[in-house]
Amino acid sequence: MRRRLALAAALTAMAAAQTAAPAAQAGDLDALIGRALFRRAWIPGTASATANDGLGPLYNARACSACHQGLDGRPVAVAPDGRVTGENLVLRLSDAAGAPDPAYGRQIQTAGVPGVDPEGTVRRDGNGRYHLADSAYGPPAAGVRASARAAPPPRGLGRLAAVPEAAILALAASQAGGGLRGRAHRPEGPEGPVGRFGAKATAATLEAQVATAFALDLGLSTAERPAPGGDCTRIQAACLAAVRGDARPEIGAALVRHIARYLASLEPPPAPAPDPAGERLFAEAGCAACHRPALPSPDGPVRAFTDLLLHDLGPDLDGGATEPGIAPTEWRTAPLWGLARRLALGAGLLHDARAAGVAQAVRLHGGEAAASRRRADALPEAVRARLFAYVGSL
């Protein structure tokens, strides 16, 4: 407890020194503290309750900013031998029902504190698919599949949080019984709030999304995910033995809220110049049915190009690993705002960054999106290129 209070006090002082306004709003100060925490490099704990942090024992990165460097996306760094060297792509594991692997858990952690070997490395094959290599516990269990997940740009999350739940549910109701079957996901149970964050809509709030990142990516416990060993399993004796400190959770609720407030404060990418012709083609092809150009909010339209619903996108977008209650082929409609920045930076598209551009991403859309893909394919080449150029400008 003393460690957490001292850390919070130090970060408060840091944030106060950085703000230019003498009478900063409380929310602004929260965001400044959250920014410092987002950039902080966490370190392993020791047996003392007053020692720092408690990174790991297994982890993928030491800071949130390591995965979300630059905030607009970046290419996945891969060595000549196919080994992933960047920290902005992880490998998830599950069976078809979303159950984690008994030895590796939900995610492959590629780094460990002293005395704890990493679970393995992630490598990309000649087809652009990712798999586990150098595995510390042998192959995953029978029936367990892998799915690469590229870190998404975090801009505009606060605007998505402001979309009323009733609006999301109304969109799902409007699609019931038609070719589209978008559905709202409630990650906390049938009576819980609607999920809107993550590739599978598995977090209803930014706080829940932050807690998941702490648990899986950094191995730090929170009140929502209190396991002191993060994602390590009962089979991983060295990981369990390396847990240090008697203060739990390692990341208090206030610090989670600070980071969530910082993420909420990040403005969306700038809107592109109006393009009525591109907008018309986008609607006529059926893309706007799921990638809705705007959602309502108390602060005005949220121009994210998503409906925040889960859709089945067919076998070409079978992600392998999934979450309980969500088919491997189901994905939350990805927001398209900021696509121009991602493409300019050379970052790939889709959940695993496999698509080099808009045309390739569209070709992989099946299932509920198959009719829209066929309409796009049927367009004259010049018109289809115009449509894809519009999407790439968002």
Side-chain angles (χ1 to χ4, degrees):
M1 176 62 74
R2 291 194 301 272
R3 171 171 64 86
R4 294 201 302 274
L5 292 174
L7 175 61
L11 290 169
T12 300
M14 181 193 310
Q18 291 180 17
T19 184
Q25 296 287 333
D28 295 335
L29 184 58
D30 285 343
L32 286 167
I33 296 172
R35 181 177 67 178
L37 289 165
F38 188 82
R39 298 174 177 178
R40 179 185 175 89
W42 302 91
I43 63 174
T46 71
S48 168
T50 60
N52 270 330
D53 307 346
L55 176 74
L58 290 166
Y59 60 94
N60 292 98
R62 293 185 58 203
C64 304
S65 58
C67 301
H68 300 281
Q69 189 177 39
L71 303 180
D72 291 306
R74 58 193 168 106
V76 177
V78 180
D81 64 357
R83 181 171 56 90
V84 174
T85 58
E87 295 168 311
N88 61 329
L89 182 136
V90 298
L91 198 67
R92 292 281 179 89
L93 301 175
S94 86
D95 63 15
D101 183 78
Y104 294 99
R106 291 200 171 276
Q107 184 167 298
I108 296 299
Q109 279 84 32
T110 55
V113 300
V116 180
D117 292 334
E119 292 179 318
T121 58
V122 179
R123 292 181 184 270
R124 186 171 67 189
D125 62 24
N127 296 319
R129 299 299 181 92
Y130 297 90
H131 63 275
L132 171 63
D134 310 312
S135 52
Y137 301 94
V144 169
R145 303 186 294 171
S147 175
R149 303 286 177 84
R155 294 190 186 276
L157 296 180
R159 300 304 312 279
L160 295 180
V163 175
E165 184 170 296
I168 303 173
L169 295 175
L171 286 174
S174 71
Q175 296 180 10
L180 294 179
R181 301 176 301 278
R183 67 184 183 93
H185 178 57
R186 298 183 185 272
E188 299 174 18
E191 304 302 321
V194 168
R196 60 184 75 200
F197 301 110
K200 298 281 188 178
T202 49
T205 65
L206 283 173
E207 287 82 358
Q209 186 75 351
V210 169
T212 297
F214 269 126
L216 297 182
D217 302 334
L218 292 99
L220 287 159
S221 59
T222 62
E224 185 160 335
R225 290 179 174 261
D231 191 40
C232 73
T233 67
R234 290 180 296 175
I235 295 173
Q236 298 173 337
C239 180
L240 294 174
V243 173
R244 294 290 182 265
D246 59 9
R248 294 289 180 262
E250 293 159 311
I251 304 297
L255 302 189
V256 171
R257 286 196 300 271
H258 288 319
I259 296 178
R261 178 66 187 91
Y262 165 64
L263 294 174
S265 74
L266 295 173
E267 290 295 326
D275 181 358
E279 293 171 10
R280 177 179 54 78
L281 287 172
F282 190 74
E284 290 176 352
C287 308
C290 298
H291 292 283
R292 296 184 67 87
L295 295 173
S297 87
D299 300 320
V302 181
R303 303 189 184 281
F305 291 83
T306 178
D307 58 7
L308 296 176
L309 299 174
L310 291 177
H311 292 273
D312 190 325
L313 297 183
D316 285 341
L317 285 177
D318 184 331
T322 187
E323 302 286 339
I326 303 173
T329 53
E330 284 187 302
W331 300 96
R332 180 204 62 163
T333 303
L336 298 183
W337 58 8
L339 210 62
R341 290 191 176 198
R342 287 183 62 80
L343 292 171
L345 292 166
L349 308 182
L350 301 176
H351 63 279
D352 55 2
R354 81 173 80 162
V358 174
Q360 186 177 359
V362 170
R363 280 198 299 271
L364 293 169
H365 279 57
E368 296 176 47
S372 294
R373 187 197 64 215
R374 288 193 294 269
R375 282 194 287 270
D377 288 342
L379 293 172
E381 183 176 351
V383 178
R384 185 168 62 251
R386 181 71 187 81
L387 169 63
F388 291 165
Y390 168 73
V391 175
S393 73
L394 298 176

